Amino acid sequence: MAAQPQAAQKFTRAERRQAKLESPKIAERIRAYSRVARELDARMEKLTEQYPDQWAALYHDGKDFQLLTAATQEELLRKVDEMGIARSAVAVECLNSKRQTFIL
């Protein structure tokens, strides 16, 4: 038996207005995260040499990029949380010193 399509959800005028106000904010947060992720990607080789087998988090504090490192992902995220940094604004990577090649 085929699933019945759901009826379109109806939004109130206030909800539509709020969505229009939120859209640019969301788009800016996505652009900001993209900049941080690109910067972390550009730094990966050097960071891996400096902090082998550590976890790294990069974020932008409004002036410059800031780096946090820790031995474990849990420890790193705890630092992020303690500093009051939104996790959605932080790019996180494991700086694995053992390079892996994937053949697709």
Side-chain angles (χ1 to χ4, degrees):
M1 182 191 270
Q4 296 294 322
Q6 293 183 347
Q9 184 175 359
K10 295 189 179 201
F11 295 100
T12 66
R13 186 176 300 162
E15 290 171 329
R16 287 193 303 272
R17 190 177 318 117
Q18 184 63 32
K20 285 181 183 178
L21 293 174
E22 291 293 323
S23 293
K25 294 176 187 175
I26 293 168
E28 178 51 38
R29 282 187 238 145
I30 291 169
R31 283 191 295 272
Y33 176 80
S34 295
R35 286 189 296 268
V36 171
R38 282 192 305 272
E39 183 67 22
L40 181 58
D41 188 54
R43 296 181 182 194
M44 283 295 290
E45 189 172 334
K46 185 175 179 181
L47 290 173
T48 301
E49 290 172 9
Q50 289 179 310
Y51 307 100
D53 302 317
Q54 296 285 307
W55 282 84
L58 192 72
Y59 67 98
H60 197 276
D61 66 2
K63 295 180 183 177
D64 201 4
F65 291 102
Q66 302 297 326
L67 178 70
L68 298 171
T69 60
T72 66
Q73 184 181 31
E74 293 80 13
E75 181 184 349
L76 183 65
L77 293 176
R78 189 171 32 256
K79 286 182 181 183
V80 168
D81 293 341
E82 287 172 357
M83 293 179 70
I85 304 164
R87 288 186 179 191
S88 60
V90 178
V92 175
E93 286 284 344
C94 181
L95 305 173
N96 191 344
S97 63
K98 297 170 190 74
R99 299 239 172 191
Q100 295 178 338
T101 303
F102 294 95
I103 300 173
L104 304 175

